[in-house]
Amino acid sequence: MPKDSAEFIAGCLTADQQKQYEADGFISGVRVFDSQTVAELRTAIEALEVTYSDGVGGSSLDQYFRVNGHVVIPLLSELASTPAILNAVQSILGRNLLAWSVELFIKEPGSTKTVSWHQDITYWGMGETNDEVTAWVALSDVSVEAGCMRFIPGSHTNGIVSHSDTHDDNNLLSRGQEIQDIDESVARHGPLQPGEMSLHHGRCFHASGPNRSEDRRIGLAIRYVTPEVRDGLEGRDYAMLVRGIDSTRGWINIAGPQEPFAAADLNLYQQIIRDQEATLTEGAEQDVSLYSA
Ligand SMILES: O=C(O)CCC(=O)C(=O)O
């Protein structure tokens, strides 16, 4: 990694943080935005909610916020290239990085919505890769009370374990998929101040509870992968190169939108959803969409 560029140094994980990530499968409390920037980002997200309150392209804004927002919303695609986030992710995955998905996890004040214990990559068609990391950035105060994530340290050393599909409406996951018999006594909370992020491994067991606070809980989840993740995989999948090079071209590289909800990007969005849902629904007993909004 070049040592002469401030961009490459800001946000890089320390050796201790890297060791912690390797041992636990997650780290928390990494600052990536100052308080003014994070307030501006929240305002920009909330302005989109006002502008597109009636939906766009035949879908609600929630649909785009929850699945692949970076394909149609320039702000989300640009956030995936934030240098401080990329520097931290590069410390784990190396210098060739693609963003596979950008999503917002919003729980309104008093919301009973939860996320059950799961491993992210279970249904993503990426096999059991070690080379997928989620950067989860807090755009509000994501306290224990507000329903921050909880993680089971070391659980990423498992393969993909069995999940039961609960299809619980209160669950933000697509199938309400859930790992049974978790020993919650060893779980660790990952509370975040606005502008901090956590990083978690695609096989790390994690969950989150309801928002008992008086403010919205807003999290931005960016899923990063390397070019090699696609090696030997069936089907088609898409990702946006955000650092380095993708010489393998196993991912269909997308450029990211120039303007919100352009017609060509909405078409691409639908194509990506069709291809990814073909993977997600494999083995499910009923139809599922990629995520529930
Ligand atoms: O926002 C949450 O509570 C859960 C997010 C999550 O499961 C993820 O980003 O993988």
mmCIF file of all heavy atoms in Angstrom, residues 59-101:
data_model
loop_
_atom_site.group_PDB
_atom_site.id
_atom_site.type_symbol
_atom_site.label_atom_id
_atom_site.label_comp_id
_atom_site.label_asym_id
_atom_site.label_seq_id
_atom_site.Cartn_x
_atom_site.Cartn_y
_atom_site.Cartn_z
ATOM 1 N N SER A 59 -41.863 1.405 -8.190
ATOM 2 C CA SER A 59 -41.543 0.834 -6.866
ATOM 3 C C SER A 59 -41.439 1.945 -5.830
ATOM 4 O O SER A 59 -41.201 3.108 -6.175
ATOM 5 C CB SER A 59 -40.202 0.098 -6.905
ATOM 6 O OG SER A 59 -40.249 -0.980 -7.796
ATOM 7 N N SER A 60 -41.579 1.565 -4.576
ATOM 8 C CA SER A 60 -41.402 2.545 -3.499
ATOM 9 C C SER A 60 -39.919 2.871 -3.356
ATOM 10 O O SER A 60 -39.051 2.080 -3.750
ATOM 11 C CB SER A 60 -41.919 1.960 -2.183
ATOM 12 O OG SER A 60 -41.047 0.914 -1.784
ATOM 13 N N LEU A 61 -39.647 4.034 -2.768
ATOM 14 C CA LEU A 61 -38.241 4.380 -2.522
ATOM 15 C C LEU A 61 -37.595 3.352 -1.594
ATOM 16 O O LEU A 61 -36.413 3.025 -1.727
ATOM 17 C CB LEU A 61 -38.150 5.789 -1.913
ATOM 18 C CG LEU A 61 -36.723 6.302 -1.730
ATOM 19 C CD1 LEU A 61 -36.020 6.533 -3.058
ATOM 20 C CD2 LEU A 61 -36.707 7.574 -0.893
ATOM 21 N N ASP A 62 -38.379 2.813 -0.645
ATOM 22 C CA ASP A 62 -37.858 1.796 0.283
ATOM 23 C C ASP A 62 -37.220 0.622 -0.458
ATOM 24 O O ASP A 62 -36.221 0.061 -0.029
ATOM 25 C CB ASP A 62 -38.990 1.234 1.147
ATOM 26 C CG ASP A 62 -39.165 2.049 2.403
ATOM 27 O OD1 ASP A 62 -38.408 3.013 2.596
ATOM 28 O OD2 ASP A 62 -40.087 1.713 3.168
ATOM 29 N N GLN A 63 -37.859 0.232 -1.557
ATOM 30 C CA GLN A 63 -37.315 -0.885 -2.348
ATOM 31 C C GLN A 63 -35.868 -0.578 -2.775
ATOM 32 O O GLN A 63 -34.983 -1.410 -2.643
ATOM 33 C CB GLN A 63 -38.206 -1.121 -3.571
ATOM 34 C CG GLN A 63 -37.579 -1.891 -4.722
ATOM 35 C CD GLN A 63 -37.363 -3.375 -4.408
ATOM 36 O OE1 GLN A 63 -38.063 -3.946 -3.569
ATOM 37 N NE2 GLN A 63 -36.391 -3.987 -5.071
ATOM 38 N N TYR A 64 -35.655 0.657 -3.268
ATOM 39 C CA TYR A 64 -34.310 1.017 -3.738
ATOM 40 C C TYR A 64 -33.359 1.221 -2.561
ATOM 41 O O TYR A 64 -32.173 0.923 -2.663
ATOM 42 C CB TYR A 64 -34.364 2.285 -4.600
ATOM 43 C CG TYR A 64 -35.272 2.149 -5.794
ATOM 44 C CD1 TYR A 64 -36.525 2.733 -5.809
ATOM 45 C CD2 TYR A 64 -34.882 1.393 -6.905
ATOM 46 C CE1 TYR A 64 -37.372 2.606 -6.901
ATOM 47 C CE2 TYR A 64 -35.728 1.244 -7.992
ATOM 48 C CZ TYR A 64 -36.977 1.860 -7.989
ATOM 49 O OH TYR A 64 -37.812 1.713 -9.065
ATOM 50 N N PHE A 65 -33.900 1.748 -1.459
ATOM 51 C CA PHE A 65 -33.043 1.921 -0.282
ATOM 52 C C PHE A 65 -32.585 0.555 0.244
ATOM 53 O O PHE A 65 -31.473 0.420 0.725
ATOM 54 C CB PHE A 65 -33.811 2.655 0.826
ATOM 55 C CG PHE A 65 -33.735 4.168 0.746
ATOM 56 C CD1 PHE A 65 -33.122 4.823 -0.309
ATOM 57 C CD2 PHE A 65 -34.282 4.945 1.766
ATOM 58 C CE1 PHE A 65 -33.053 6.214 -0.367
ATOM 59 C CE2 PHE A 65 -34.216 6.331 1.726
ATOM 60 C CZ PHE A 65 -33.603 6.972 0.665
ATOM 61 N N ARG A 66 -33.471 -0.438 0.178
ATOM 62 C CA ARG A 66 -33.144 -1.730 0.794
ATOM 63 C C ARG A 66 -32.365 -2.668 -0.116
ATOM 64 O O ARG A 66 -31.719 -3.585 0.361
ATOM 65 C CB ARG A 66 -34.436 -2.421 1.266
ATOM 66 C CG ARG A 66 -35.004 -1.837 2.520
ATOM 67 C CD ARG A 66 -34.077 -2.038 3.732
ATOM 68 N NE ARG A 66 -34.062 -3.444 4.127
ATOM 69 C CZ ARG A 66 -33.022 -4.232 4.002
ATOM 70 N NH1 ARG A 66 -31.890 -3.784 3.488
ATOM 71 N NH2 ARG A 66 -33.097 -5.471 4.382
ATOM 72 N N VAL A 67 -32.425 -2.433 -1.417
ATOM 73 C CA VAL A 67 -31.743 -3.356 -2.330
ATOM 74 C C VAL A 67 -31.054 -2.578 -3.444
ATOM 75 O O VAL A 67 -31.716 -1.883 -4.222
ATOM 76 C CB VAL A 67 -32.747 -4.342 -2.988
ATOM 77 C CG1 VAL A 67 -32.009 -5.378 -3.807
ATOM 78 C CG2 VAL A 67 -33.647 -4.985 -1.975
ATOM 79 N N ASN A 68 -29.739 -2.698 -3.521
ATOM 80 C CA ASN A 68 -28.988 -2.202 -4.687
ATOM 81 C C ASN A 68 -29.238 -0.735 -5.027
ATOM 82 O O ASN A 68 -29.277 -0.363 -6.209
ATOM 83 C CB ASN A 68 -29.322 -3.056 -5.926
ATOM 84 C CG ASN A 68 -28.751 -4.445 -5.828
ATOM 85 O OD1 ASN A 68 -27.725 -4.655 -5.170
ATOM 86 N ND2 ASN A 68 -29.401 -5.405 -6.460
ATOM 87 N N GLY A 69 -29.365 0.097 -3.996
ATOM 88 C CA GLY A 69 -29.621 1.514 -4.225
ATOM 89 C C GLY A 69 -28.547 2.189 -5.065
ATOM 90 O O GLY A 69 -28.814 3.166 -5.769
ATOM 91 N N HIS A 70 -27.340 1.664 -5.023
ATOM 92 C CA HIS A 70 -26.213 2.280 -5.751
ATOM 93 C C HIS A 70 -26.395 2.225 -7.269
ATOM 94 O O HIS A 70 -25.704 2.926 -7.995
ATOM 95 C CB HIS A 70 -24.904 1.581 -5.377
ATOM 96 C CG HIS A 70 -24.841 0.139 -5.797
ATOM 97 N ND1 HIS A 70 -25.724 -0.815 -5.328
ATOM 98 C CD2 HIS A 70 -24.032 -0.503 -6.658
ATOM 99 C CE1 HIS A 70 -25.434 -1.974 -5.879
ATOM 100 N NE2 HIS A 70 -24.412 -1.813 -6.698
ATOM 101 N N VAL A 71 -27.333 1.400 -7.731
ATOM 102 C CA VAL A 71 -27.535 1.267 -9.189
ATOM 103 C C VAL A 71 -28.309 2.469 -9.743
ATOM 104 O O VAL A 71 -28.139 2.848 -10.899
ATOM 105 C CB VAL A 71 -28.277 -0.058 -9.512
ATOM 106 C CG1 VAL A 71 -28.523 -0.207 -11.004
ATOM 107 C CG2 VAL A 71 -27.491 -1.242 -8.979
ATOM 108 N N VAL A 72 -29.134 3.083 -8.893
ATOM 109 C CA VAL A 72 -30.031 4.157 -9.375
ATOM 110 C C VAL A 72 -29.895 5.479 -8.617
ATOM 111 O O VAL A 72 -30.444 6.487 -9.049
ATOM 112 C CB VAL A 72 -31.510 3.689 -9.330
ATOM 113 C CG1 VAL A 72 -31.813 2.706 -10.450
ATOM 114 C CG2 VAL A 72 -31.867 3.099 -7.971
ATOM 115 N N ILE A 73 -29.186 5.480 -7.491
ATOM 116 C CA ILE A 73 -29.090 6.703 -6.676
ATOM 117 C C ILE A 73 -27.620 7.109 -6.568
ATOM 118 O O ILE A 73 -26.831 6.433 -5.883
ATOM 119 C CB ILE A 73 -29.699 6.480 -5.265
ATOM 120 C CG1 ILE A 73 -31.158 6.014 -5.382
ATOM 121 C CG2 ILE A 73 -29.583 7.747 -4.420
ATOM 122 C CD1 ILE A 73 -31.801 5.612 -4.057
ATOM 123 N N PRO A 74 -27.230 8.212 -7.242
ATOM 124 C CA PRO A 74 -25.812 8.594 -7.238
ATOM 125 C C PRO A 74 -25.218 8.742 -5.835
ATOM 126 O O PRO A 74 -24.075 8.321 -5.599
ATOM 127 C CB PRO A 74 -25.810 9.935 -7.989
ATOM 128 C CG PRO A 74 -26.995 9.858 -8.895
ATOM 129 C CD PRO A 74 -28.036 9.079 -8.131
ATOM 130 N N LEU A 75 -25.983 9.294 -4.900
ATOM 131 C CA LEU A 75 -25.432 9.472 -3.547
ATOM 132 C C LEU A 75 -24.953 8.138 -2.971
ATOM 133 O O LEU A 75 -23.876 8.051 -2.368
ATOM 134 C CB LEU A 75 -26.516 10.085 -2.636
ATOM 135 C CG LEU A 75 -26.144 10.213 -1.158
ATOM 136 C CD1 LEU A 75 -24.981 11.190 -0.954
ATOM 137 C CD2 LEU A 75 -27.358 10.664 -0.336
ATOM 138 N N LEU A 76 -25.731 7.080 -3.153
ATOM 139 C CA LEU A 76 -25.355 5.777 -2.582
ATOM 140 C C LEU A 76 -24.155 5.181 -3.303
ATOM 141 O O LEU A 76 -23.278 4.569 -2.699
ATOM 142 C CB LEU A 76 -26.547 4.815 -2.589
ATOM 143 C CG LEU A 76 -27.762 5.269 -1.771
ATOM 144 C CD1 LEU A 76 -28.814 4.165 -1.711
ATOM 145 C CD2 LEU A 76 -27.373 5.704 -0.365
ATOM 146 N N SER A 77 -24.130 5.384 -4.626
ATOM 147 C CA SER A 77 -22.972 4.868 -5.366
ATOM 148 C C SER A 77 -21.699 5.631 -4.984
ATOM 149 O O SER A 77 -20.638 5.038 -4.784
ATOM 150 C CB SER A 77 -23.298 4.913 -6.858
ATOM 151 O OG SER A 77 -22.386 5.607 -7.580
ATOM 152 N N GLU A 78 -21.824 6.956 -4.795
ATOM 153 C CA GLU A 78 -20.643 7.737 -4.407
ATOM 154 C C GLU A 78 -20.160 7.353 -3.009
ATOM 155 O O GLU A 78 -18.961 7.280 -2.757
ATOM 156 C CB GLU A 78 -20.987 9.238 -4.433
ATOM 157 C CG GLU A 78 -21.059 9.804 -5.848
ATOM 158 C CD GLU A 78 -21.972 11.027 -5.962
ATOM 159 O OE1 GLU A 78 -22.199 11.705 -4.938
ATOM 160 O OE2 GLU A 78 -22.473 11.274 -7.073
ATOM 161 N N LEU A 79 -21.109 7.072 -2.111
ATOM 162 C CA LEU A 79 -20.701 6.706 -0.749
ATOM 163 C C LEU A 79 -19.882 5.417 -0.733
ATOM 164 O O LEU A 79 -19.015 5.234 0.118
ATOM 165 C CB LEU A 79 -21.942 6.560 0.148
ATOM 166 C CG LEU A 79 -22.536 7.896 0.610
ATOM 167 C CD1 LEU A 79 -23.910 7.691 1.236
ATOM 168 C CD2 LEU A 79 -21.594 8.578 1.596
ATOM 169 N N ALA A 80 -20.150 4.540 -1.696
ATOM 170 C CA ALA A 80 -19.380 3.281 -1.762
ATOM 171 C C ALA A 80 -17.911 3.532 -2.081
ATOM 172 O O ALA A 80 -17.076 2.653 -1.883
ATOM 173 C CB ALA A 80 -19.994 2.351 -2.804
ATOM 174 N N SER A 81 -17.593 4.727 -2.573
ATOM 175 C CA SER A 81 -16.195 5.060 -2.904
ATOM 176 C C SER A 81 -15.554 5.986 -1.872
ATOM 177 O O SER A 81 -14.502 6.561 -2.134
ATOM 178 C CB SER A 81 -16.122 5.745 -4.276
ATOM 179 O OG SER A 81 -16.439 4.816 -5.277
ATOM 180 N N THR A 82 -16.155 6.134 -0.709
ATOM 181 C CA THR A 82 -15.577 6.998 0.338
ATOM 182 C C THR A 82 -14.177 6.501 0.708
ATOM 183 O O THR A 82 -14.019 5.354 1.143
ATOM 184 C CB THR A 82 -16.482 6.963 1.600
ATOM 185 O OG1 THR A 82 -17.799 7.352 1.223
ATOM 186 C CG2 THR A 82 -15.934 7.868 2.682
ATOM 187 N N PRO A 83 -13.143 7.350 0.544
ATOM 188 C CA PRO A 83 -11.774 6.872 0.782
ATOM 189 C C PRO A 83 -11.561 6.236 2.160
ATOM 190 O O PRO A 83 -10.931 5.181 2.259
ATOM 191 C CB PRO A 83 -10.924 8.134 0.601
ATOM 192 C CG PRO A 83 -11.712 8.974 -0.363
ATOM 193 C CD PRO A 83 -13.164 8.734 0.003
ATOM 194 N N ALA A 84 -12.089 6.857 3.217
ATOM 195 C CA ALA A 84 -11.827 6.299 4.557
ATOM 196 C C ALA A 84 -12.441 4.900 4.709
ATOM 197 O O ALA A 84 -11.865 4.032 5.368
ATOM 198 C CB ALA A 84 -12.376 7.234 5.630
ATOM 199 N N ILE A 85 -13.601 4.679 4.083
ATOM 200 C CA ILE A 85 -14.216 3.335 4.155
ATOM 201 C C ILE A 85 -13.358 2.353 3.353
ATOM 202 O O ILE A 85 -13.015 1.261 3.815
ATOM 203 C CB ILE A 85 -15.664 3.351 3.611
ATOM 204 C CG1 ILE A 85 -16.532 4.319 4.417
ATOM 205 C CG2 ILE A 85 -16.256 1.945 3.633
ATOM 206 C CD1 ILE A 85 -17.971 4.470 3.882
ATOM 207 N N LEU A 86 -12.988 2.767 2.135
ATOM 208 C CA LEU A 86 -12.205 1.869 1.278
ATOM 209 C C LEU A 86 -10.855 1.532 1.918
ATOM 210 O O LEU A 86 -10.371 0.401 1.811
ATOM 211 C CB LEU A 86 -11.977 2.510 -0.092
ATOM 212 C CG LEU A 86 -13.229 2.632 -0.965
ATOM 213 C CD1 LEU A 86 -12.885 3.290 -2.303
ATOM 214 C CD2 LEU A 86 -13.856 1.263 -1.208
ATOM 215 N N ASN A 87 -10.242 2.513 2.588
ATOM 216 C CA ASN A 87 -8.943 2.240 3.208
ATOM 217 C C ASN A 87 -9.056 1.160 4.271
ATOM 218 O O ASN A 87 -8.197 0.277 4.376
ATOM 219 C CB ASN A 87 -8.377 3.520 3.816
ATOM 220 C CG ASN A 87 -8.017 4.528 2.745
ATOM 221 O OD1 ASN A 87 -7.923 4.186 1.574
ATOM 222 N ND2 ASN A 87 -7.827 5.771 3.132
ATOM 223 N N ALA A 88 -10.127 1.234 5.057
ATOM 224 C CA ALA A 88 -10.324 0.211 6.094
ATOM 225 C C ALA A 88 -10.611 -1.150 5.453
ATOM 226 O O ALA A 88 -10.054 -2.176 5.844
ATOM 227 C CB ALA A 88 -11.466 0.621 7.011
ATOM 228 N N VAL A 89 -11.471 -1.150 4.440
ATOM 229 C CA VAL A 89 -11.823 -2.427 3.795
ATOM 230 C C VAL A 89 -10.599 -3.009 3.081
ATOM 231 O O VAL A 89 -10.360 -4.222 3.105
ATOM 232 C CB VAL A 89 -13.013 -2.228 2.827
ATOM 233 C CG1 VAL A 89 -13.305 -3.498 2.040
ATOM 234 C CG2 VAL A 89 -14.257 -1.799 3.596
ATOM 235 N N GLN A 90 -9.798 -2.127 2.499
ATOM 236 C CA GLN A 90 -8.581 -2.586 1.825
ATOM 237 C C GLN A 90 -7.635 -3.288 2.800
ATOM 238 O O GLN A 90 -6.934 -4.224 2.425
ATOM 239 C CB GLN A 90 -7.874 -1.383 1.182
ATOM 240 C CG GLN A 90 -6.548 -1.755 0.517
ATOM 241 C CD GLN A 90 -5.975 -0.633 -0.330
ATOM 242 O OE1 GLN A 90 -6.702 0.265 -0.756
ATOM 243 N NE2 GLN A 90 -4.679 -0.675 -0.578
ATOM 244 N N SER A 91 -7.639 -2.840 4.064
ATOM 245 C CA SER A 91 -6.795 -3.497 5.068
ATOM 246 C C SER A 91 -7.186 -4.957 5.245
ATOM 247 O O SER A 91 -6.404 -5.769 5.715
ATOM 248 C CB SER A 91 -6.935 -2.801 6.432
ATOM 249 O OG SER A 91 -6.622 -1.444 6.351
ATOM 250 N N ILE A 92 -8.414 -5.290 4.901
ATOM 251 C CA ILE A 92 -8.902 -6.672 5.069
ATOM 252 C C ILE A 92 -8.880 -7.434 3.741
ATOM 253 O O ILE A 92 -8.421 -8.577 3.674
ATOM 254 C CB ILE A 92 -10.345 -6.659 5.632
ATOM 255 C CG1 ILE A 92 -10.359 -6.018 7.010
ATOM 256 C CG2 ILE A 92 -10.907 -8.082 5.711
ATOM 257 C CD1 ILE A 92 -11.762 -5.733 7.526
ATOM 258 N N LEU A 93 -9.382 -6.801 2.683
ATOM 259 C CA LEU A 93 -9.597 -7.531 1.418
ATOM 260 C C LEU A 93 -8.510 -7.300 0.371
ATOM 261 O O LEU A 93 -8.523 -7.966 -0.671
ATOM 262 C CB LEU A 93 -10.950 -7.134 0.803
ATOM 263 C CG LEU A 93 -12.222 -7.551 1.551
ATOM 264 C CD1 LEU A 93 -13.461 -7.136 0.758
ATOM 265 C CD2 LEU A 93 -12.250 -9.062 1.799
ATOM 266 N N GLY A 94 -7.623 -6.347 0.606
ATOM 267 C CA GLY A 94 -6.612 -6.046 -0.417
ATOM 268 C C GLY A 94 -7.067 -4.907 -1.313
ATOM 269 O O GLY A 94 -8.145 -4.334 -1.133
ATOM 270 N N ARG A 95 -6.243 -4.608 -2.334
ATOM 271 C CA ARG A 95 -6.421 -3.332 -3.018
ATOM 272 C C ARG A 95 -7.377 -3.347 -4.201
ATOM 273 O O ARG A 95 -7.624 -2.296 -4.789
ATOM 274 C CB ARG A 95 -5.080 -2.756 -3.429
ATOM 275 C CG ARG A 95 -4.235 -3.600 -4.342
ATOM 276 C CD ARG A 95 -2.927 -2.882 -4.641
ATOM 277 N NE ARG A 95 -3.166 -1.526 -5.095
ATOM 278 C CZ ARG A 95 -2.616 -0.431 -4.563
ATOM 279 N NH1 ARG A 95 -1.789 -0.538 -3.569
ATOM 280 N NH2 ARG A 95 -2.886 0.751 -5.053
ATOM 281 N N ASN A 96 -7.913 -4.501 -4.596
ATOM 282 C CA ASN A 96 -8.896 -4.521 -5.690
ATOM 283 C C ASN A 96 -10.286 -4.761 -5.093
ATOM 284 O O ASN A 96 -10.578 -5.846 -4.579
ATOM 285 C CB ASN A 96 -8.547 -5.613 -6.696
ATOM 286 C CG ASN A 96 -7.186 -5.356 -7.320
ATOM 287 O OD1 ASN A 96 -6.858 -4.217 -7.648
ATOM 288 N ND2 ASN A 96 -6.375 -6.396 -7.462
ATOM 289 N N LEU A 97 -11.116 -3.734 -5.148
ATOM 290 C CA LEU A 97 -12.389 -3.780 -4.417
ATOM 291 C C LEU A 97 -13.555 -3.422 -5.312
ATOM 292 O O LEU A 97 -13.483 -2.464 -6.087
ATOM 293 C CB LEU A 97 -12.362 -2.775 -3.252
ATOM 294 C CG LEU A 97 -11.286 -3.002 -2.189
ATOM 295 C CD1 LEU A 97 -11.258 -1.833 -1.208
ATOM 296 C CD2 LEU A 97 -11.533 -4.307 -1.446
ATOM 297 N N LEU A 98 -14.637 -4.180 -5.169
ATOM 298 C CA LEU A 98 -15.886 -3.851 -5.857
ATOM 299 C C LEU A 98 -16.994 -3.750 -4.813
ATOM 300 O O LEU A 98 -16.973 -4.471 -3.804
ATOM 301 C CB LEU A 98 -16.273 -4.933 -6.881
ATOM 302 C CG LEU A 98 -15.259 -5.198 -7.990
ATOM 303 C CD1 LEU A 98 -14.492 -6.480 -7.695
ATOM 304 C CD2 LEU A 98 -15.932 -5.329 -9.350
ATOM 305 N N ALA A 99 -17.944 -2.853 -5.075
ATOM 306 C CA ALA A 99 -19.137 -2.774 -4.217
ATOM 307 C C ALA A 99 -20.210 -3.628 -4.877
ATOM 308 O O ALA A 99 -20.587 -3.389 -6.027
ATOM 309 C CB ALA A 99 -19.605 -1.338 -4.077
ATOM 310 N N TRP A 100 -20.679 -4.635 -4.140
ATOM 311 C CA TRP A 100 -21.706 -5.538 -4.679
ATOM 312 C C TRP A 100 -23.101 -4.978 -4.421
ATOM 313 O O TRP A 100 -24.017 -5.142 -5.216
ATOM 314 C CB TRP A 100 -21.565 -6.913 -4.021
ATOM 315 C CG TRP A 100 -22.601 -7.910 -4.422
ATOM 316 C CD1 TRP A 100 -22.709 -8.537 -5.630
ATOM 317 C CD2 TRP A 100 -23.685 -8.403 -3.621
ATOM 318 N NE1 TRP A 100 -23.792 -9.385 -5.619
ATOM 319 C CE2 TRP A 100 -24.404 -9.320 -4.401
ATOM 320 C CE3 TRP A 100 -24.103 -8.153 -2.301
ATOM 321 C CZ2 TRP A 100 -25.525 -10.001 -3.919
ATOM 322 C CZ3 TRP A 100 -25.219 -8.833 -1.813
ATOM 323 C CH2 TRP A 100 -25.917 -9.738 -2.633
ATOM 324 N N SER A 101 -23.258 -4.312 -3.268
ATOM 325 C CA SER A 101 -24.577 -3.787 -2.914
ATOM 326 C C SER A 101 -24.436 -2.628 -1.935
ATOM 327 O O SER A 101 -23.496 -2.596 -1.139
ATOM 328 C CB SER A 101 -25.398 -4.914 -2.271
ATOM 329 O OG SER A 101 -26.638 -4.427 -1.834
#
